[in-house]
Amino acid sequence: PASFLLQMAAWLRAGAGALRAGSWSRCYRGPGAGAGAEAGAAAGVQAAEQQQQQRRGRWDVRAGVESVQRHWQLLRAEVAARIRGPGEQELRAQSRVLWHFQGAHSLQGWAVSSDRDIGGRSSVRLGVADNGSSALLSGRLNTEPPRDGLTRYSGYCTLRSSPPQGPFNLKRFYDLSNFNTLYLRVRGDGRPWMVNISSGMYFTHHKKDLYNYFMFTRGGPYWQDVKIPFSKFFLSSQGRIQDNQHPIWLDKVSTIGFTLGDKVNGPFQLEIDFIAVCNDRAHTEEFAYEKYKRNPDV
């Protein structure tokens, strides 16, 4: 057909132009040249990989030495602090600020999670509020359960702090035994939240135990100061309140978090200024719930 002949003519003209330009002669490889070129390319790639591995090895060694030095410095500082002991001001302190959010750098060490981990549809994010200082936890709650045939309930979002670590990544805890009240400054949207505290346990099957208490936000543009005595926190495990209740081990506090699960679909937000503890001398309650004896006296 005429169209085919016109296309062939265009190809021939392009080939003649490339031949005059010498591009074919530069790209032509004689018999056996292809294998040599491929072998050379493979050798070049192998040499580049070896150089990269050597650089990575040198960097790994340097990073390892720097990490060991940093951990030894932390260990020396911790031993010196143990030998020196708490100061007079620390012993007499009636309050202590654990976290004061002052920008994006203060969000490190906090993690968010939601029912997306089990196939849900809720979303949550942690960022800096419009004032450029406080932490803003926001997202959308969705109570629709995943269609896996097993999960019946869904709809939760959580913010939780990372457990403290000592030298060489050893487990450490917050010692809050000199205080009896949790002090928060928040600004919410009227939703009820659950404040969670985890403490160190002796047995591994207690790793999912949490101490909980409710925090009711008012909503609106004003900050809200919330004080929750530690004696009000009740023990739960995997969302179930335990019959055997006992107070928090305040000398082994590991993490503090916030959970939303009020079964109301829609957006939410919680702004946090600081998280602190204080010693309220007017509060003398040791524990708000009845403690059962395993083997009562007859």
Side-chain angles (χ1 to χ4, degrees):
S3 60
F4 177 74
L5 294 177
L6 292 175
Q7 189 175 5
M8 288 294 295
W11 285 350
L12 290 175
R13 286 195 300 271
L19 184 61
R20 286 193 299 271
S23 60
W24 282 8
S25 62
R26 288 194 299 269
C27 298
Y28 174 74
R29 294 184 299 177
E38 292 176 358
V45 171
Q46 186 176 3
E49 290 180 352
Q50 290 179 355
Q51 293 178 359
Q52 186 176 5
Q53 290 178 359
Q54 292 176 358
R55 288 195 298 270
R56 188 184 299 113
R58 290 195 298 269
W59 174 254
D60 290 343
V61 172
R62 188 183 303 113
V65 172
E66 293 176 354
S67 177
V68 171
Q69 292 176 351
R70 183 174 66 256
H71 283 289
W72 273 112
Q73 292 176 359
L74 293 174
L75 182 61
R76 286 197 296 267
E78 183 174 340
V79 171
R82 290 288 185 89
I83 295 175
R84 185 170 57 252
E88 183 179 358
Q89 294 182 355
E90 185 176 354
L91 291 175
R92 291 187 176 183
Q94 298 298 311
S95 63
R96 183 199 303 175
V97 177
L98 302 178
W99 290 278
H100 190 193
F101 297 99
Q102 295 180 333
H105 65 279
S106 58
L107 302 180
Q108 299 178 359
W110 290 84
V112 295
S113 62
S114 67
D115 55 21
R116 286 183 181 268
D117 299 338
I118 60 173
R121 298 186 178 183
S122 299
S123 61
V124 61
R125 57 187 176 273
L126 178 64
V128 181
D130 294 337
N131 58 9
S133 177
S134 56
L136 178 62
L137 179 66
S138 60
R140 179 174 292 272
L141 195 69
N142 192 329
T143 59
E144 181 179 355
R147 300 180 180 179
D148 55 3
L150 299 175
T151 306
R152 299 176 55 189
Y153 305 101
S154 182
Y156 68 87
C157 295
T158 300
L159 170 68
R160 193 173 185 181
S161 65
S162 300
Q165 291 182 341
F168 301 100
N169 297 329
L170 296 176
K171 185 182 296 185
R172 292 292 183 265
F173 302 99
Y174 297 104
D175 187 1
L176 309 179
S177 55
N178 291 335
F179 309 96
N180 61 2
T181 303
L182 182 66
Y183 183 21
L184 310 169
R185 176 168 292 174
V186 299
R187 183 160 52 185
D189 54 0
R191 285 178 177 258
W193 289 78
M194 183 81 77
V195 182
N196 311 312
I197 298 179
S198 66
S199 61
M201 297 293 179
Y202 284 123
F203 305 105
T204 56
H205 64 274
H206 289 158
K207 64 180 180 180
K208 295 185 179 181
D209 290 359
L210 284 176
Y211 288 90
N212 314 275
Y213 197 72
F214 298 99
M215 179 182 68
F216 299 95
T217 59
R218 292 194 297 259
Y222 301 107
W223 288 101
Q224 177 182 355
D225 289 344
V226 180
K227 290 185 178 181
I228 307 174
F230 289 122
S231 62
K232 301 293 185 182
F233 284 83
F234 55 89
L235 178 63
S236 68
S237 179
Q238 298 181 350
R240 299 179 181 273
I241 300 176
Q242 302 299 294
D243 292 333
N244 185 19
Q245 294 287 329
H246 53 82
I248 307 176
W249 293 350
L250 291 177
D251 59 338
K252 291 185 177 297
V253 173
S254 179
T255 64
I256 296 178
F258 303 87
T259 300
L260 176 65
D262 58 354
K263 299 182 180 180
V264 178
N265 294 332
F268 66 86
Q269 68 175 22
L270 179 67
E271 193 173 348
I272 307 173
D273 185 19
F274 64 79
I275 302 174
V277 290
C278 64
N279 189 12
D280 187 2
R281 296 185 179 275
H283 183 77
T284 58
E285 183 182 51
E286 294 184 1
F287 195 53
Y289 311 102
E290 185 176 359
K291 294 182 289 185
Y292 296 97
K293 293 184 178 181
R294 293 184 180 273
N295 298 313
D297 298 332
V298 178

